[in-house]
Amino acid sequence: MSIISKDISKAVALLNSEELVAIPTETVYGLAGNIYSEKAIKSIFETKQRPLFNPLIVHIPSVEYLSKIVEYIPEKAKLLAEAFWPGPITLVLKKKNSIPDIITADKDTVAVRIPNHSLTLELLNNLSFPLAAPSANPFSSISPTTAQHVENYFKDNIKMVLDGGACKSGIESTIIGFENEEPVIYRLGSTPIEAIEDVVGKIEIKNKKEISPEAPGMLERHYAPKTKTILTSNLSKSIEEYSNKRIGILVFNDVLNDDAIEFKVVLSESKNLEEAAFKLYDALHQLDKQDLDIIIAEKLPDYGLGKSINDRLKRATK
Ligand code: AMP
Ligand code: MG
């Protein structure tokens, strides 16, 4: 029997019994458990085979709830929360002692956000605890953006996927930390950097080596298909290079027709970056199923969500 269901009360009952439920958000599906249940949180790490040094994002129902999770809220964090929550921005702030160390990988900061999905907000409002929810995929594989992707990964190793349709934004949240009160981008994501700068001014992007310990979204290989994948700015040249192989291509809006291509996914005929982000992971899931020798992905324009998509594609090629 399928584990996919729309039954919120069943999800509430499972979470109250320290079980896991995969939940829909506007970014990707999350594998959720009670942040205060050691059993549930250990089970998240085991099910995903996620290394314990990777901290989890805590999902809360309201801005008011934030003060139960964190010790201190810098002014610019308040501005960002007001501007973007519920929405795909995660704030990393000084944690309260009550937040278990396993959630934060022993760090003194915790990552937190309010997801913008009506079913999951209803779920959170019916629980007496927040949910830790990393993406509902085995560690380092392509993130799931539909309930079916989650079921394909975990079969009956989890009890339920709450079906909230296809995730609207399609790539993970933008993660922002604070250093001396100033926001810093730790991971590019669904909220474009330009929108963030409109609220808090110029913001720095830190690369992985500057953040310690390593954060999973920062790992070089992440979001990766099983099929060898390359990222290119010169599509025709790359296709020529691999002309004796079974090639799949992932393009922004191209109308290229080439007999050498076995399978093609176009992200947005009208060159719309939001549409491209929405389709990205499903496209990679599809390409990965075609028994190809190589996936050739075309680099997108390097601004707005294009920057975030290029970040994911780069990690998919490692
Ligand atoms: P995922 O939920 O799978 O998208 O991964 C969670 C992301 O949250 C990772 O990329 C981590 O980098 C980030 N994260 C969680 N907690 C912290 C923290 N305390 N400091 C920095 N990054 C964090
Ligand atoms: Mg993930």
Side-chain angles (χ1 to χ4, degrees):
M1 211 181 77
S2 173
I3 54 170
I4 299 174
S5 157
K6 292 188 193 312
D7 186 350
I8 288 212
S9 51
K10 184 176 165 194
V12 170
L14 283 167
L15 290 163
N16 279 332
S17 323
E18 303 184 88
E19 299 284 350
L20 305 185
V21 173
I23 56 166
T25 78
E26 79 282 34
T27 61
V28 303
Y29 273 73
L31 186 59
N34 174 357
I35 66 161
Y36 300 113
S37 158
E38 196 182 326
K39 179 186 167 208
I41 301 307
K42 279 193 171 152
S43 168
I44 290 178
F45 282 98
E46 277 160 22
T47 308
K48 275 181 64 74
Q49 295 183 327
R50 181 177 175 111
L52 283 165
F53 65 75
N54 287 338
L56 305 177
I57 296 175
V58 171
H59 294 72
I60 58 173
S62 66
V63 178
E64 296 71 51
Y65 210 103
L66 188 58
S67 56
K68 296 190 193 172
I69 308 291
V70 308
E71 206 50 67
Y72 172 70
I73 312 171
E75 251 343 281
K76 288 188 175 173
K78 283 182 198 155
L79 291 178
L80 290 169
E82 273 162 29
F84 295 108
W85 280 355
I89 220 171
T90 296
L91 302 177
V92 176
L93 301 170
K94 180 103 174 52
K95 82 176 185 89
K96 277 226 146 81
N97 273 340
S98 54
I99 304 300
D101 291 335
I102 186 171
I103 299 282
T104 63
D106 285 330
K107 286 149 84 75
D108 63 356
T109 52
V110 61
V112 56
R113 81 177 191 101
I114 306 178
N116 189 13
H117 192 292
S118 56
L119 266 189
T120 289
L121 285 170
E122 189 181 339
L123 178 65
L124 285 166
N125 279 310
N126 280 288
L127 295 168
S128 59
F129 45 81
L131 293 173
S135 51
N137 54 319
F139 184 64
S140 85
S141 58
I142 308 165
S143 300
T145 52
T146 65
Q148 192 59 55
H149 291 158
V150 181
E151 183 171 48
N152 294 347
Y153 275 137
F154 295 119
K155 311 285 185 314
D156 52 8
N157 283 333
I158 59 174
K159 297 221 159 86
M160 176 177 175
V161 186
L162 180 63
D163 186 3
C167 302
K168 289 205 170 63
S169 301
I171 52 177
E172 292 80 356
S173 60
T174 303
I175 300 183
I176 299 190
F178 290 83
E179 296 175 8
N180 305 317
E181 298 277 310
E182 284 304 309
V184 174
I185 294 196
Y186 287 169
R187 176 178 74 184
L188 292 167
S190 268
T191 303
I193 180 164
E194 292 86 345
I196 294 166
E197 289 185 333
D198 282 348
V199 177
V200 292
K202 189 87 190 129
I203 186 165
E204 187 191 349
I205 306 174
K206 286 228 160 163
N207 68 41
K208 154 199 170 213
K209 291 190 180 65
E210 295 168 295
I211 305 167
S212 168
E214 289 196 353
M218 303 288 165
L219 290 179
E220 287 195 359
R221 184 183 158 82
H222 210 80
Y223 319 109
K226 294 198 181 75
T227 314
K228 177 183 161 72
T229 302
I230 63 163
L231 182 60
T232 181
S233 306
N234 189 336
L235 201 54
S236 336
K237 184 159 165 263
S238 299
I239 291 171
E240 207 180 298
E241 216 170 291
Y242 290 93
S243 56
N244 58 338
K245 304 273 186 206
R246 283 173 60 85
I247 300 176
I249 63 168
L250 177 65
V251 290
F252 186 27
N253 73 305
D254 186 289
V255 280
L256 176 111
N257 272 317
D258 190 318
D259 290 343
I261 299 165
E262 200 77 36
F263 192 80
K264 172 167 78 175
V265 184
V266 177
L267 288 176
S268 173
E269 295 284 1
S270 62
K271 292 192 175 187
N272 178 316
L273 289 167
E274 269 111 57
E275 184 186 7
F278 169 74
K279 289 193 179 154
L280 177 69
Y281 288 139
D282 190 59
L284 287 172
H285 280 283
Q286 276 189 53
L287 283 155
D288 213 13
K289 278 197 298 209
Q290 308 301 323
D291 196 25
L292 301 163
D293 295 321
I294 185 156
I295 299 170
I296 301 176
E298 178 187 35
K299 206 168 170 212
L300 269 67
D302 210 36
Y303 56 81
L305 287 176
K307 223 179 174 56
S308 307
I309 296 170
N310 287 337
D311 170 85
R312 299 301 187 269
L313 286 174
K314 239 178 269 160
R315 293 177 213 279
T317 63
K318 297 288 174 183

